[in-house]
Each structure stands twice: as structure tokens, then as C-alpha cells.
Amino acid sequence: MASELLRGYVRGLSMWPALIPGDILRAERRAVSRVLPGQVVVVGHGTNEQIVHRVVRTVAKGGRVLLCTAGDRSGRDAPVIVEQFDTLPVVIGVLRRRKYRAVGRRSRWAEQMPDVLVRVHCAIVRKLRWH
């Protein structure tokens, strides 16, 4: 069975520097039971708006999975409870220089960077990596 590929783009700075506003993402649906800590997923967190954040931890209990996610820069989200066999979009690449590449690792210092430096960094990345 071929997996369904999804595409979307980043709008905020919560995953900086791994993802920046305007990045185009490619994701594929996977069973929640196959999602691992460190992977970047698309979740709703009880709202109409979808959030692209990194999985921090998963806890399986009685056919359900407690999914804990966090933005690299914004910190932890409220945990989400999903059915074990539900599917979830997992980001498998970010478009850089006309090719999809793996999403970078979490940066430990990202939370402490001032907004002005983050925005300057994003502008530089757009010039160097998008063209």
C-alpha cells in the first residue's frame, strides 16, 4: 500500500531553527503506534489550527496513546490522547534548494534567543537555502 504524501508550510517560529516561516514540508501519514520521540508531527491540539511540533514522548495505555509534543523554541504543548491505530502526519522532509531534506535536530539554545536575532537568522536562511 502506497503511503499518502501531504504538503504544507510553516507559519510560525515555534520550531526555529529547524523550521522557519515559509518552509514547505512533506509529511506522510503513519500509525500513532509507529511515531517515535524526536520525529516532527502535525497535530491539532483540540483546535481547528494544526501545529507542527516535535514528539517529546509517547505513552501507550489500553489502546490509546498519550502524545507529548513541544516546539523547539516555544516549549511543551498540552498532551494529546489519540487512538493507537489512528494515523498522524509525520514530517519526512523540508524543501531546501529544490530538494526535500531531513528536518534538523532540536537546538537546546533555541528557547533563549531574542526575537530580533531569530528574525535576522530566518531572513538569511531564506536567501541562502531557498534559492
Side-chain angles (χ1 to χ4, degrees):
M1 178 174 132
S3 53
E4 175 188 7
L5 290 178
L6 309 166
R7 286 184 12 176
Y9 67 95
V10 176
R11 291 189 304 196
L13 293 168
S14 66
M15 285 296 292
W16 179 87
L19 301 173
I20 65 170
D23 274 347
I24 297 173
L25 305 177
R26 177 183 278 174
E28 82 179 356
R29 290 196 163 278
R30 293 188 186 159
V32 172
S33 60
R34 292 184 44 216
V35 175
L36 302 172
Q39 290 181 318
V40 177
V41 297
V42 182
V43 291
H45 286 288
T47 67
N48 291 334
E49 192 164 323
Q50 294 181 325
I51 300 170
V52 178
H53 278 177
R54 199 175 301 272
V55 174
V56 176
R57 150 181 111 127
T58 61
V59 179
K61 273 192 175 180
R64 292 188 172 182
V65 176
L66 178 71
L67 190 66
C68 301
T69 60
D72 290 355
R73 185 160 192 267
S74 63
R76 292 187 183 243
D77 304 317
V80 176
I81 298 174
V82 291
E83 297 297 321
Q84 183 175 359
F85 297 108
D86 282 351
T87 61
L88 195 64
V90 176
V91 176
I92 58 173
V94 57
L95 188 63
R96 299 274 165 80
R97 292 188 181 157
R98 299 184 190 109
K99 288 186 181 180
Y100 282 98
R101 304 183 190 279
V103 177
R105 292 185 177 173
R106 182 182 179 273
S107 173
R108 295 185 190 270
W109 48 268
E111 294 175 21
Q112 289 117 21
M113 291 298 288
D115 283 347
V116 67
L117 291 179
V118 171
R119 293 186 192 288
V120 167
H121 176 265
C122 291
I124 292 169
V125 169
R126 281 187 200 103
K127 293 281 185 195
L128 296 177
R129 290 189 181 170
W130 284 8
H131 300 292

